[in-house]
Amino acid sequence: MSFLAGNSVLPDESARQPGFLRRHAGIWPGIVLAAIIAAAAISIRELPGLGIFSPMILAVIVGIVFSNSVGTPANTAAGIAFCQRSLLRFAIILLGFQLTAAQLVSIGPAGIGIAVASLVATFCFTLGLGRLLGVDRKLTELIAAGTSICGASAIVATNTVTQGRDEDVAYAVACITAFGTVAMLGYPLVAPLFGLDQHHYGLWAGTSIHEVAQVIGAAFQGGPQAGEIGTVAKLARVAMLAPMVIGLGLLARRGSAGAGGARPPMPWFVVAFVAVVAFNSVVEVPAEVESSIALVATALLTMGLAAMGLQTDIRNIRLRGLRPLLLALSAFVFIAGFSLALVTLVA
């Protein structure tokens, strides 16, 4: 009898367990699925010819293919949403460990000026052309951010205030993948036509190509000095992610308040990103630790983009038509030409 009585207490004791495990138990199936997709993307990258793509880009593609062919189980929804939001934001914070103030200074005032001018001009050009073409404002902002700042990471960060649909994010990522790859393969071929030395070529690549991996792939084709300058110039653009997203957040909050709608949340994780950059600038983090953090950031970004792909319905992407693609192409041509002109005239 006492044995039965003892057993009867177990359900009550389980109910009194710490609430964290109960509240978050439902996210694990989605996290595991996103991790599997991310691992598949990292593995696929080892195949011949695919090493030029970042694992984040491949994760989006694999996620889209999986969700639109096999489908995602209903019990994975909470975990996928967690990867899309919390994991991605934490990964962007970790990107701050790849930046220091000294790195930004190393490309000189002219280099920083070219990076800033190219970013601002491209962003404004893309927004204006998007209106003329009739492209949805949210999708236009994502394409503008991905082209002018730092590819997929910028698209994800910008979407926290833009609040576009998953299909918008996937479309924007697909565009920066396509045109960033064209730039990565084409820049080394056309650079001799403009008579660029290693310094100018690296600066051009770093201030105009979309993804960090694409910049590295293109810049080092021009030589070691070009590779180093290109990488630092690209990181200078990454540093501008914070003020750009905060500025968009303030504009979105002001517009929503004026319209009487709910105000979009401020991207406080971007403030944390700035704090990490400041910390990394004054505290010398061991190289081994920085390398480990970079691997974790890449893994989390890959999982987050895999989750994005898992939530994407390709039929909705088709409905967007060719106008957003034309917008992304025009933005790509603009930033390449604008930054080349500045590098040639100013640097």
Side-chain angles (χ1 to χ4, degrees), residues 121-159:
T122 302
F123 199 92
C124 294
F125 168 83
T126 308
L127 293 184
L129 184 59
R131 286 194 214 95
L132 290 176
L133 293 175
V135 179
D136 177 75
R137 178 186 61 81
K138 294 181 179 181
L139 179 55
T140 296
E141 289 181 356
L142 296 179
I143 292 174
T147 302
S148 63
I149 308 175
C150 57
S153 300
I155 291 170
V156 170
T158 301
N159 198 49

PDB file of all heavy atoms in Angstrom, residues 121-159:
ATOM      1  N   ALA A 121      25.376  54.662 -50.423  1.00  0.00           N
ATOM      2  CA  ALA A 121      24.879  54.933 -51.772  1.00  0.00           C
ATOM      3  C   ALA A 121      24.120  53.734 -52.332  1.00  0.00           C
ATOM      4  O   ALA A 121      23.058  53.896 -52.948  1.00  0.00           O
ATOM      5  CB  ALA A 121      26.049  55.298 -52.694  1.00  0.00           C
ATOM      6  N   THR A 122      24.650  52.537 -52.117  1.00  0.00           N
ATOM      7  CA  THR A 122      23.986  51.337 -52.638  1.00  0.00           C
ATOM      8  C   THR A 122      22.660  51.101 -51.937  1.00  0.00           C
ATOM      9  O   THR A 122      21.662  50.741 -52.588  1.00  0.00           O
ATOM     10  CB  THR A 122      24.899  50.109 -52.462  1.00  0.00           C
ATOM     11  OG1 THR A 122      26.138  50.337 -53.145  1.00  0.00           O
ATOM     12  CG2 THR A 122      24.245  48.853 -53.011  1.00  0.00           C
ATOM     13  N   PHE A 123      22.640  51.295 -50.635  1.00  0.00           N
ATOM     14  CA  PHE A 123      21.401  51.087 -49.890  1.00  0.00           C
ATOM     15  C   PHE A 123      20.323  52.053 -50.389  1.00  0.00           C
ATOM     16  O   PHE A 123      19.186  51.644 -50.661  1.00  0.00           O
ATOM     17  CB  PHE A 123      21.648  51.281 -48.395  1.00  0.00           C
ATOM     18  CG  PHE A 123      20.593  50.666 -47.524  1.00  0.00           C
ATOM     19  CD1 PHE A 123      20.738  49.378 -47.047  1.00  0.00           C
ATOM     20  CD2 PHE A 123      19.450  51.368 -47.195  1.00  0.00           C
ATOM     21  CE1 PHE A 123      19.755  48.796 -46.257  1.00  0.00           C
ATOM     22  CE2 PHE A 123      18.465  50.801 -46.405  1.00  0.00           C
ATOM     23  CZ  PHE A 123      18.623  49.513 -45.930  1.00  0.00           C
ATOM     24  N   CYS A 124      20.673  53.322 -50.515  1.00  0.00           N
ATOM     25  CA  CYS A 124      19.694  54.322 -50.972  1.00  0.00           C
ATOM     26  C   CYS A 124      19.269  54.067 -52.414  1.00  0.00           C
ATOM     27  O   CYS A 124      18.084  54.185 -52.756  1.00  0.00           O
ATOM     28  CB  CYS A 124      20.282  55.723 -50.839  1.00  0.00           C
ATOM     29  SG  CYS A 124      20.577  56.237 -49.130  1.00  0.00           S
ATOM     30  N   PHE A 125      20.237  53.720 -53.270  1.00  0.00           N
ATOM     31  CA  PHE A 125      19.921  53.417 -54.670  1.00  0.00           C
ATOM     32  C   PHE A 125      18.934  52.251 -54.761  1.00  0.00           C
ATOM     33  O   PHE A 125      17.956  52.306 -55.517  1.00  0.00           O
ATOM     34  CB  PHE A 125      21.204  53.072 -55.428  1.00  0.00           C
ATOM     35  CG  PHE A 125      20.971  52.474 -56.794  1.00  0.00           C
ATOM     36  CD1 PHE A 125      20.720  53.298 -57.885  1.00  0.00           C
ATOM     37  CD2 PHE A 125      20.998  51.104 -56.982  1.00  0.00           C
ATOM     38  CE1 PHE A 125      20.500  52.752 -59.147  1.00  0.00           C
ATOM     39  CE2 PHE A 125      20.779  50.548 -58.234  1.00  0.00           C
ATOM     40  CZ  PHE A 125      20.528  51.386 -59.322  1.00  0.00           C
ATOM     41  N   THR A 126      19.176  51.205 -53.979  1.00  0.00           N
ATOM     42  CA  THR A 126      18.317  50.021 -54.031  1.00  0.00           C
ATOM     43  C   THR A 126      16.912  50.336 -53.531  1.00  0.00           C
ATOM     44  O   THR A 126      15.920  49.877 -54.110  1.00  0.00           O
ATOM     45  CB  THR A 126      18.939  48.879 -53.207  1.00  0.00           C
ATOM     46  OG1 THR A 126      20.290  48.669 -53.626  1.00  0.00           O
ATOM     47  CG2 THR A 126      18.157  47.589 -53.392  1.00  0.00           C
ATOM     48  N   LEU A 127      16.812  51.116 -52.464  1.00  0.00           N
ATOM     49  CA  LEU A 127      15.491  51.494 -51.960  1.00  0.00           C
ATOM     50  C   LEU A 127      14.717  52.305 -53.000  1.00  0.00           C
ATOM     51  O   LEU A 127      13.523  52.065 -53.239  1.00  0.00           O
ATOM     52  CB  LEU A 127      15.628  52.301 -50.671  1.00  0.00           C
ATOM     53  CG  LEU A 127      16.161  51.587 -49.427  1.00  0.00           C
ATOM     54  CD1 LEU A 127      16.135  52.526 -48.230  1.00  0.00           C
ATOM     55  CD2 LEU A 127      15.347  50.332 -49.128  1.00  0.00           C
ATOM     56  N   GLY A 128      15.408  53.258 -53.636  1.00  0.00           N
ATOM     57  CA  GLY A 128      14.742  54.086 -54.639  1.00  0.00           C
ATOM     58  C   GLY A 128      14.315  53.285 -55.856  1.00  0.00           C
ATOM     59  O   GLY A 128      13.185  53.434 -56.350  1.00  0.00           O
ATOM     60  N   LEU A 129      15.192  52.432 -56.351  1.00  0.00           N
ATOM     61  CA  LEU A 129      14.857  51.628 -57.519  1.00  0.00           C
ATOM     62  C   LEU A 129      13.757  50.624 -57.192  1.00  0.00           C
ATOM     63  O   LEU A 129      12.896  50.341 -58.039  1.00  0.00           O
ATOM     64  CB  LEU A 129      16.105  50.901 -58.027  1.00  0.00           C
ATOM     65  CG  LEU A 129      15.925  50.088 -59.314  1.00  0.00           C
ATOM     66  CD1 LEU A 129      15.469  50.989 -60.457  1.00  0.00           C
ATOM     67  CD2 LEU A 129      17.225  49.362 -59.664  1.00  0.00           C
ATOM     68  N   GLY A 130      13.783  50.100 -55.957  1.00  0.00           N
ATOM     69  CA  GLY A 130      12.731  49.170 -55.554  1.00  0.00           C
ATOM     70  C   GLY A 130      11.356  49.804 -55.630  1.00  0.00           C
ATOM     71  O   GLY A 130      10.380  49.169 -56.055  1.00  0.00           O
ATOM     72  N   ARG A 131      11.276  51.075 -55.221  1.00  0.00           N
ATOM     73  CA  ARG A 131       9.989  51.786 -55.320  1.00  0.00           C
ATOM     74  C   ARG A 131       9.575  51.956 -56.780  1.00  0.00           C
ATOM     75  O   ARG A 131       8.415  51.775 -57.135  1.00  0.00           O
ATOM     76  CB  ARG A 131      10.093  53.155 -54.647  1.00  0.00           C
ATOM     77  CG  ARG A 131      10.107  53.101 -53.137  1.00  0.00           C
ATOM     78  CD  ARG A 131       9.858  54.491 -52.538  1.00  0.00           C
ATOM     79  NE  ARG A 131      10.611  54.647 -51.301  1.00  0.00           N
ATOM     80  CZ  ARG A 131      11.806  55.193 -51.184  1.00  0.00           C
ATOM     81  NH1 ARG A 131      12.410  55.643 -52.268  1.00  0.00           N
ATOM     82  NH2 ARG A 131      12.403  55.284 -50.030  1.00  0.00           N
ATOM     83  N   LEU A 132      10.525  52.317 -57.637  1.00  0.00           N
ATOM     84  CA  LEU A 132      10.220  52.513 -59.049  1.00  0.00           C
ATOM     85  C   LEU A 132       9.756  51.214 -59.714  1.00  0.00           C
ATOM     86  O   LEU A 132       8.863  51.229 -60.567  1.00  0.00           O
ATOM     87  CB  LEU A 132      11.444  53.057 -59.789  1.00  0.00           C
ATOM     88  CG  LEU A 132      11.852  54.506 -59.478  1.00  0.00           C
ATOM     89  CD1 LEU A 132      13.141  54.864 -60.211  1.00  0.00           C
ATOM     90  CD2 LEU A 132      10.729  55.465 -59.879  1.00  0.00           C
ATOM     91  N   LEU A 133      10.355  50.107 -59.320  1.00  0.00           N
ATOM     92  CA  LEU A 133      10.000  48.816 -59.918  1.00  0.00           C
ATOM     93  C   LEU A 133       8.753  48.212 -59.289  1.00  0.00           C
ATOM     94  O   LEU A 133       8.224  47.217 -59.805  1.00  0.00           O
ATOM     95  CB  LEU A 133      11.170  47.831 -59.772  1.00  0.00           C
ATOM     96  CG  LEU A 133      12.442  48.158 -60.565  1.00  0.00           C
ATOM     97  CD1 LEU A 133      13.548  47.158 -60.231  1.00  0.00           C
ATOM     98  CD2 LEU A 133      12.162  48.145 -62.063  1.00  0.00           C
ATOM     99  N   GLY A 134       8.302  48.777 -58.173  1.00  0.00           N
ATOM    100  CA  GLY A 134       7.128  48.232 -57.506  1.00  0.00           C
ATOM    101  C   GLY A 134       7.407  46.980 -56.698  1.00  0.00           C
ATOM    102  O   GLY A 134       6.499  46.171 -56.452  1.00  0.00           O
ATOM    103  N   VAL A 135       8.649  46.807 -56.268  1.00  0.00           N
ATOM    104  CA  VAL A 135       9.009  45.665 -55.428  1.00  0.00           C
ATOM    105  C   VAL A 135       8.570  45.942 -53.998  1.00  0.00           C
ATOM    106  O   VAL A 135       8.683  47.077 -53.511  1.00  0.00           O
ATOM    107  CB  VAL A 135      10.520  45.391 -55.485  1.00  0.00           C
ATOM    108  CG1 VAL A 135      10.906  44.216 -54.579  1.00  0.00           C
ATOM    109  CG2 VAL A 135      10.957  45.106 -56.924  1.00  0.00           C
ATOM    110  N   ASP A 136       8.072  44.930 -53.317  1.00  0.00           N
ATOM    111  CA  ASP A 136       7.620  45.073 -51.933  1.00  0.00           C
ATOM    112  C   ASP A 136       8.704  45.721 -51.073  1.00  0.00           C
ATOM    113  O   ASP A 136       9.890  45.381 -51.193  1.00  0.00           O
ATOM    114  CB  ASP A 136       7.259  43.693 -51.371  1.00  0.00           C
ATOM    115  CG  ASP A 136       6.840  43.748 -49.921  1.00  0.00           C
ATOM    116  OD1 ASP A 136       5.713  44.195 -49.646  1.00  0.00           O
ATOM    117  OD2 ASP A 136       7.656  43.359 -49.054  1.00  0.00           O
ATOM    118  N   ARG A 137       8.309  46.657 -50.221  1.00  0.00           N
ATOM    119  CA  ARG A 137       9.272  47.417 -49.422  1.00  0.00           C
ATOM    120  C   ARG A 137      10.144  46.529 -48.552  1.00  0.00           C
ATOM    121  O   ARG A 137      11.364  46.735 -48.443  1.00  0.00           O
ATOM    122  CB  ARG A 137       8.537  48.430 -48.532  1.00  0.00           C
ATOM    123  CG  ARG A 137       9.464  49.244 -47.618  1.00  0.00           C
ATOM    124  CD  ARG A 137       8.670  50.113 -46.683  1.00  0.00           C
ATOM    125  NE  ARG A 137       7.808  49.337 -45.815  1.00  0.00           N
ATOM    126  CZ  ARG A 137       8.219  48.719 -44.698  1.00  0.00           C
ATOM    127  NH1 ARG A 137       9.493  48.775 -44.337  1.00  0.00           N
ATOM    128  NH2 ARG A 137       7.369  48.052 -43.954  1.00  0.00           N
ATOM    129  N   LYS A 138       9.543  45.543 -47.907  1.00  0.00           N
ATOM    130  CA  LYS A 138      10.318  44.678 -47.010  1.00  0.00           C
ATOM    131  C   LYS A 138      11.364  43.881 -47.780  1.00  0.00           C
ATOM    132  O   LYS A 138      12.519  43.775 -47.357  1.00  0.00           O
ATOM    133  CB  LYS A 138       9.378  43.745 -46.254  1.00  0.00           C
ATOM    134  CG  LYS A 138       8.441  44.467 -45.298  1.00  0.00           C
ATOM    135  CD  LYS A 138       7.542  43.496 -44.558  1.00  0.00           C
ATOM    136  CE  LYS A 138       6.627  44.246 -43.575  1.00  0.00           C
ATOM    137  NZ  LYS A 138       5.752  43.314 -42.830  1.00  0.00           N
ATOM    138  N   LEU A 139      10.980  43.324 -48.914  1.00  0.00           N
ATOM    139  CA  LEU A 139      11.932  42.572 -49.728  1.00  0.00           C
ATOM    140  C   LEU A 139      13.019  43.501 -50.262  1.00  0.00           C
ATOM    141  O   LEU A 139      14.197  43.127 -50.313  1.00  0.00           O
ATOM    142  CB  LEU A 139      11.204  41.883 -50.878  1.00  0.00           C
ATOM    143  CG  LEU A 139      12.073  41.072 -51.847  1.00  0.00           C
ATOM    144  CD1 LEU A 139      12.893  40.031 -51.098  1.00  0.00           C
ATOM    145  CD2 LEU A 139      11.204  40.402 -52.912  1.00  0.00           C
ATOM    146  N   THR A 140      12.649  44.712 -50.632  1.00  0.00           N
ATOM    147  CA  THR A 140      13.628  45.692 -51.111  1.00  0.00           C
ATOM    148  C   THR A 140      14.664  45.990 -50.036  1.00  0.00           C
ATOM    149  O   THR A 140      15.872  46.057 -50.315  1.00  0.00           O
ATOM    150  CB  THR A 140      12.920  46.994 -51.522  1.00  0.00           C
ATOM    151  OG1 THR A 140      12.064  46.735 -52.635  1.00  0.00           O
ATOM    152  CG2 THR A 140      13.929  48.063 -51.915  1.00  0.00           C
ATOM    153  N   GLU A 141      14.231  46.184 -48.798  1.00  0.00           N
ATOM    154  CA  GLU A 141      15.165  46.472 -47.706  1.00  0.00           C
ATOM    155  C   GLU A 141      16.124  45.308 -47.473  1.00  0.00           C
ATOM    156  O   GLU A 141      17.309  45.509 -47.190  1.00  0.00           O
ATOM    157  CB  GLU A 141      14.392  46.788 -46.429  1.00  0.00           C
ATOM    158  CG  GLU A 141      13.680  48.145 -46.468  1.00  0.00           C
ATOM    159  CD  GLU A 141      12.947  48.446 -45.180  1.00  0.00           C
ATOM    160  OE1 GLU A 141      12.928  47.571 -44.278  1.00  0.00           O
ATOM    161  OE2 GLU A 141      12.377  49.552 -45.059  1.00  0.00           O
ATOM    162  N   LEU A 142      15.624  44.086 -47.592  1.00  0.00           N
ATOM    163  CA  LEU A 142      16.480  42.923 -47.383  1.00  0.00           C
ATOM    164  C   LEU A 142      17.518  42.804 -48.493  1.00  0.00           C
ATOM    165  O   LEU A 142      18.693  42.509 -48.224  1.00  0.00           O
ATOM    166  CB  LEU A 142      15.628  41.650 -47.313  1.00  0.00           C
ATOM    167  CG  LEU A 142      14.647  41.561 -46.145  1.00  0.00           C
ATOM    168  CD1 LEU A 142      13.849  40.264 -46.206  1.00  0.00           C
ATOM    169  CD2 LEU A 142      15.375  41.665 -44.809  1.00  0.00           C
ATOM    170  N   ILE A 143      17.114  43.011 -49.736  1.00  0.00           N
ATOM    171  CA  ILE A 143      18.063  42.978 -50.848  1.00  0.00           C
ATOM    172  C   ILE A 143      19.084  44.097 -50.694  1.00  0.00           C
ATOM    173  O   ILE A 143      20.288  43.913 -50.928  1.00  0.00           O
ATOM    174  CB  ILE A 143      17.321  43.094 -52.191  1.00  0.00           C
ATOM    175  CG1 ILE A 143      16.496  41.828 -52.444  1.00  0.00           C
ATOM    176  CG2 ILE A 143      18.307  43.317 -53.341  1.00  0.00           C
ATOM    177  CD1 ILE A 143      15.616  41.894 -53.680  1.00  0.00           C
ATOM    178  N   ALA A 144      18.632  45.278 -50.274  1.00  0.00           N
ATOM    179  CA  ALA A 144      19.540  46.409 -50.069  1.00  0.00           C
ATOM    180  C   ALA A 144      20.568  46.095 -48.989  1.00  0.00           C
ATOM    181  O   ALA A 144      21.766  46.377 -49.151  1.00  0.00           O
ATOM    182  CB  ALA A 144      18.741  47.657 -49.698  1.00  0.00           C
ATOM    183  N   ALA A 145      20.124  45.508 -47.895  1.00  0.00           N
ATOM    184  CA  ALA A 145      21.040  45.182 -46.798  1.00  0.00           C
ATOM    185  C   ALA A 145      22.024  44.102 -47.211  1.00  0.00           C
ATOM    186  O   ALA A 145      23.234  44.209 -46.944  1.00  0.00           O
ATOM    187  CB  ALA A 145      20.240  44.732 -45.577  1.00  0.00           C
ATOM    188  N   GLY A 146      21.541  43.047 -47.860  1.00  0.00           N
ATOM    189  CA  GLY A 146      22.420  41.962 -48.262  1.00  0.00           C
ATOM    190  C   GLY A 146      23.474  42.404 -49.253  1.00  0.00           C
ATOM    191  O   GLY A 146      24.629  41.958 -49.194  1.00  0.00           O
ATOM    192  N   THR A 147      23.109  43.302 -50.161  1.00  0.00           N
ATOM    193  CA  THR A 147      24.050  43.775 -51.181  1.00  0.00           C
ATOM    194  C   THR A 147      25.048  44.772 -50.598  1.00  0.00           C
ATOM    195  O   THR A 147      26.251  44.699 -50.875  1.00  0.00           O
ATOM    196  CB  THR A 147      23.292  44.442 -52.341  1.00  0.00           C
ATOM    197  OG1 THR A 147      22.364  43.512 -52.903  1.00  0.00           O
ATOM    198  CG2 THR A 147      24.256  44.891 -53.429  1.00  0.00           C
ATOM    199  N   SER A 148      24.573  45.694 -49.797  1.00  0.00           N
ATOM    200  CA  SER A 148      25.435  46.795 -49.357  1.00  0.00           C
ATOM    201  C   SER A 148      26.258  46.480 -48.117  1.00  0.00           C
ATOM    202  O   SER A 148      27.331  47.073 -47.929  1.00  0.00           O
ATOM    203  CB  SER A 148      24.584  48.041 -49.085  1.00  0.00           C
ATOM    204  OG  SER A 148      23.665  47.807 -48.030  1.00  0.00           O
ATOM    205  N   ILE A 149      25.794  45.558 -47.267  1.00  0.00           N
ATOM    206  CA  ILE A 149      26.493  45.341 -45.990  1.00  0.00           C
ATOM    207  C   ILE A 149      27.275  44.026 -46.001  1.00  0.00           C
ATOM    208  O   ILE A 149      28.459  44.009 -46.291  1.00  0.00           O
ATOM    209  CB  ILE A 149      25.516  45.397 -44.798  1.00  0.00           C
ATOM    210  CG1 ILE A 149      24.674  46.669 -44.848  1.00  0.00           C
ATOM    211  CG2 ILE A 149      26.283  45.348 -43.482  1.00  0.00           C
ATOM    212  CD1 ILE A 149      23.602  46.767 -43.783  1.00  0.00           C
ATOM    213  N   CYS A 150      26.622  42.923 -45.699  1.00  0.00           N
ATOM    214  CA  CYS A 150      27.402  41.682 -45.554  1.00  0.00           C
ATOM    215  C   CYS A 150      26.588  40.430 -45.830  1.00  0.00           C
ATOM    216  O   CYS A 150      26.640  39.467 -45.063  1.00  0.00           O
ATOM    217  CB  CYS A 150      28.040  41.597 -44.175  1.00  0.00           C
ATOM    218  SG  CYS A 150      26.885  41.710 -42.783  1.00  0.00           S
ATOM    219  N   GLY A 151      25.798  40.446 -46.899  1.00  0.00           N
ATOM    220  CA  GLY A 151      25.156  39.225 -47.335  1.00  0.00           C
ATOM    221  C   GLY A 151      24.105  38.679 -46.406  1.00  0.00           C
ATOM    222  O   GLY A 151      23.278  39.414 -45.852  1.00  0.00           O
ATOM    223  N   ALA A 152      24.136  37.353 -46.201  1.00  0.00           N
ATOM    224  CA  ALA A 152      23.078  36.668 -45.460  1.00  0.00           C
ATOM    225  C   ALA A 152      22.956  37.166 -44.027  1.00  0.00           C
ATOM    226  O   ALA A 152      21.842  37.301 -43.507  1.00  0.00           O
ATOM    227  CB  ALA A 152      23.328  35.157 -45.471  1.00  0.00           C
ATOM    228  N   SER A 153      24.071  37.443 -43.368  1.00  0.00           N
ATOM    229  CA  SER A 153      24.017  37.922 -41.979  1.00  0.00           C
ATOM    230  C   SER A 153      23.269  39.247 -41.888  1.00  0.00           C
ATOM    231  O   SER A 153      22.468  39.468 -40.972  1.00  0.00           O
ATOM    232  CB  SER A 153      25.424  38.096 -41.410  1.00  0.00           C
ATOM    233  OG  SER A 153      26.125  36.880 -41.431  1.00  0.00           O
ATOM    234  N   ALA A 154      23.524  40.137 -42.846  1.00  0.00           N
ATOM    235  CA  ALA A 154      22.838  41.430 -42.851  1.00  0.00           C
ATOM    236  C   ALA A 154      21.352  41.260 -43.139  1.00  0.00           C
ATOM    237  O   ALA A 154      20.517  41.969 -42.575  1.00  0.00           O
ATOM    238  CB  ALA A 154      23.470  42.354 -43.892  1.00  0.00           C
ATOM    239  N   ILE A 155      21.019  40.337 -44.016  1.00  0.00           N
ATOM    240  CA  ILE A 155      19.608  40.083 -44.333  1.00  0.00           C
ATOM    241  C   ILE A 155      18.874  39.608 -43.092  1.00  0.00           C
ATOM    242  O   ILE A 155      17.776  40.084 -42.774  1.00  0.00           O
ATOM    243  CB  ILE A 155      19.499  39.053 -45.470  1.00  0.00           C
ATOM    244  CG1 ILE A 155      20.007  39.666 -46.782  1.00  0.00           C
ATOM    245  CG2 ILE A 155      18.063  38.571 -45.639  1.00  0.00           C
ATOM    246  CD1 ILE A 155      20.158  38.662 -47.910  1.00  0.00           C
ATOM    247  N   VAL A 156      19.480  38.680 -42.377  1.00  0.00           N
ATOM    248  CA  VAL A 156      18.855  38.147 -41.163  1.00  0.00           C
ATOM    249  C   VAL A 156      18.704  39.240 -40.111  1.00  0.00           C
ATOM    250  O   VAL A 156      17.646  39.397 -39.487  1.00  0.00           O
ATOM    251  CB  VAL A 156      19.684  36.970 -40.608  1.00  0.00           C
ATOM    252  CG1 VAL A 156      19.187  36.579 -39.221  1.00  0.00           C
ATOM    253  CG2 VAL A 156      19.600  35.776 -41.548  1.00  0.00           C
ATOM    254  N   ALA A 157      19.768  40.035 -39.901  1.00  0.00           N
ATOM    255  CA  ALA A 157      19.712  41.091 -38.891  1.00  0.00           C
ATOM    256  C   ALA A 157      18.682  42.145 -39.269  1.00  0.00           C
ATOM    257  O   ALA A 157      17.914  42.618 -38.425  1.00  0.00           O
ATOM    258  CB  ALA A 157      21.088  41.727 -38.726  1.00  0.00           C
ATOM    259  N   THR A 158      18.652  42.531 -40.531  1.00  0.00           N
ATOM    260  CA  THR A 158      17.709  43.548 -40.985  1.00  0.00           C
ATOM    261  C   THR A 158      16.270  43.070 -40.844  1.00  0.00           C
ATOM    262  O   THR A 158      15.368  43.867 -40.551  1.00  0.00           O
ATOM    263  CB  THR A 158      18.002  43.920 -42.457  1.00  0.00           C
ATOM    264  OG1 THR A 158      19.344  44.404 -42.557  1.00  0.00           O
ATOM    265  CG2 THR A 158      17.049  44.991 -42.960  1.00  0.00           C
ATOM    266  N   ASN A 159      16.068  41.779 -41.031  1.00  0.00           N
ATOM    267  CA  ASN A 159      14.704  41.256 -40.961  1.00  0.00           C
ATOM    268  C   ASN A 159      14.110  41.332 -39.558  1.00  0.00           C
ATOM    269  O   ASN A 159      12.895  41.232 -39.381  1.00  0.00           O
ATOM    270  CB  ASN A 159      14.652  39.807 -41.458  1.00  0.00           C
ATOM    271  CG  ASN A 159      13.247  39.375 -41.803  1.00  0.00           C
ATOM    272  OD1 ASN A 159      12.528  40.069 -42.524  1.00  0.00           O
ATOM    273  ND2 ASN A 159      12.826  38.240 -41.280  1.00  0.00           N
TER     274      ASN A 159
END
